[in-house]
Amino acid sequence: MKKPCYINSYASIHADGMEEIDEVLHAIEPDYKEIIPNANMRRRMSHIIKMGVACGLMCIEQNKNKTIDAIITATGLGCLADTEKFLNSLIENNEQLLNPSAFIQSTFNTIGAQIALLTENNSYNNTYVHRGLSFESALIDGLMKIWEGNGQVLVGAVDEALTTEYIIMKRLGMLNNIQLGEGSQFFTLSSFKEKNTPAELIAVKTFRGKLPSEKVIQKVSDLLQDNDLDIDQIQNLITGRNGNKADDIIYNHIEQLFSSASLSTFKNVCGEYTTASSFGMYQAINQLKEKENTEYSLIYNHYYNINHSLILLKKC
């Protein structure tokens, strides 16, 4: 049975659209010593693990109710730096006497596991690695956990950017006018509404394939119809434009559909990466809080015109 799902707290570690190093938009990181006091644990964490764990702990800390019934994380490519480190070690040592630490730390579920260890949480813990739909898959799972009766669920996403990744994607022609980015965003989904709850998560819809604009518009219409909404009721539209003119064409058609809505993008700030839509949701919540006379916000994103997603939020 469907129940209301509220977002009681949220946190983000992201780029600012300007700090470009080695042609990559790197996240502006906080002082990890304040968030992860254990120096030995912090020292063993790679960049992506520190970023994800810190963001998750920040999100929990912002929430008055620290009880978490499930931890659900998402990543598109996982711990790339540790994977690269292990593979380099494999080559340099001729597959002999390898240190397994980098391999152990490179598993996709490391972030969720570390958050559980630090918060002494023994509840449901799952990680989704579904390419451009990783975050949305985690979000849908979180929604279903709320519908099943869980009180509060932590859902988040994290991906890191490496110079090696940039070089490979550039060679494959995947970064035409696109800035590679990275970041981490976490949200607490809850069945109960608090005094300062900023938004309600109404629906998440995903679909795949290189679809013509007519098919995508139909998917958008279906989502609105399923939730008894008209196009004019969406006052805020956020799209995942990334600078690639060929792939951005579809956003033009969606924006024309919502001609009366306020339009904005998010990848100009955080860059392009597989779970960038999590930053789009973070930005949408901020806009709902700040803008008056805005009740509904819709986020439409696609990853290389293959993985498409729609996230519908309502102001509380």
Side-chain angles (χ1 to χ4, degrees):
M1 178 182 175
K2 290 188 177 182
K3 300 177 182 178
C5 180
Y6 301 102
I7 302 168
N8 284 342
S9 66
Y10 59 110
S12 176
I13 297 174
H14 58 268
D16 65 356
M18 295 183 292
E19 296 293 327
E20 184 179 319
I21 303 172
D22 299 329
E23 300 180 304
V24 174
L25 288 171
H26 289 283
I28 299 172
E29 299 174 87
D31 184 356
Y32 291 122
K33 295 193 292 292
E34 300 293 324
I35 307 167
I36 310 169
N38 189 318
N40 288 328
M41 179 176 283
R42 194 172 61 245
R43 196 179 300 115
R44 289 194 297 269
M45 290 180 176
S46 65
H47 166 60
I48 188 174
I49 296 173
K50 280 191 287 189
M51 189 163 56
V53 170
C55 191
L57 294 177
M58 287 162 56
C59 187
I60 295 172
E61 187 60 32
Q62 288 176 18
N63 197 4
K64 292 180 181 179
N65 184 359
K66 304 295 189 293
T67 303
I68 300 295
D69 298 316
I71 298 172
I72 306 171
T73 53
T75 180
L77 296 173
C79 306
L80 285 178
D82 280 318
T83 303
E84 182 183 35
K85 185 177 178 181
F86 179 74
L87 291 175
N88 285 335
S89 175
L90 198 70
I91 296 167
E92 291 166 4
N93 293 288
N94 198 27
E95 301 183 22
Q96 303 293 318
L97 302 172
L98 298 174
N99 187 332
S101 296
F103 177 77
I104 295 167
Q105 290 284 79
S106 71
T107 56
F108 294 101
N109 62 346
T110 303
I111 291 95
Q114 290 281 9
I115 293 172
L117 286 170
L118 287 167
T119 57
E120 299 181 352
N121 187 300
N122 297 316
S123 63
Y124 177 88
N125 196 309
N126 204 3
T127 298
Y128 286 87
V129 190
H130 290 178
R131 298 189 181 179
L133 296 178
S134 300
F135 172 65
E136 289 80 0
S137 299
L139 206 54
I140 291 169
D141 192 7
L143 262 175
M144 291 193 295
K145 296 299 286 184
I146 296 298
W147 296 343
E148 288 173 1
N150 286 256
Q152 193 156 243
V153 178
L154 181 70
V155 177
V158 58
D159 271 299
E160 66 179 336
L162 303 183
T163 302
T164 304
E165 177 192 6
Y166 172 83
I167 293 169
I168 292 171
M169 292 183 74
K170 194 74 174 175
R171 286 176 180 173
L172 292 172
M174 297 177 68
L175 293 177
N176 295 328
N177 297 318
I178 297 173
Q179 285 188 298
L180 187 66
E182 65 176 6
S184 177
Q185 286 74 40
F186 273 80
F187 310 85
T188 53
L189 307 184
S190 178
S191 57
F192 51 87
K193 180 181 175 183
E194 295 180 351
K195 183 179 179 181
N196 297 318
T197 297
E200 179 184 350
L201 178 60
I202 302 296
V204 182
K205 187 180 185 70
T206 63
F207 44 101
R208 295 185 69 257
K210 286 189 173 292
L211 305 174
S213 58
E214 294 80 10
K215 290 281 188 181
V216 177
I217 289 172
Q218 185 59 54
K219 297 286 187 182
V220 174
S221 299
D222 290 344
L223 177 75
L224 296 180
Q225 187 175 355
D226 291 343
N227 292 279
D228 299 320
L229 292 172
D230 296 325
I231 288 173
D232 293 339
Q233 289 179 269
I234 304 298
Q235 297 98 347
N236 194 37
L237 176 68
I238 301 175
T239 62
R241 286 181 177 274
N242 61 13
N244 184 303
K245 292 182 179 180
D247 285 344
D248 282 351
I249 289 174
I250 198 164
Y251 292 121
N252 297 336
H253 297 286
I254 300 298
E255 289 171 355
Q256 288 170 11
L257 183 68
F258 295 93
S259 56
S260 62
S262 171
L263 305 176
S264 62
T265 61
F266 59 89
K267 290 178 183 174
N268 57 314
V269 177
C270 70
E272 176 69 279
Y273 55 99
T274 46
T275 53
S277 55
S278 60
F279 180 73
M281 182 162 146
Y282 170 82
Q283 182 172 294
I285 296 170
N286 281 331
Q287 290 179 358
L288 283 174
K289 285 176 65 177
E290 295 166 2
K291 293 182 177 181
E292 297 181 1
N293 303 319
T294 300
E295 186 178 9
Y296 288 98
S297 184
L298 179 66
I299 306 151
Y300 168 60
N301 178 62
H302 70 72
Y303 188 69
Y304 290 97
N305 203 17
I306 296 173
N307 303 132
H308 306 256
S309 69
L310 295 161
I311 302 173
L312 180 63
L313 301 175
K314 181 182 180 182
K315 187 174 188 173
C316 287

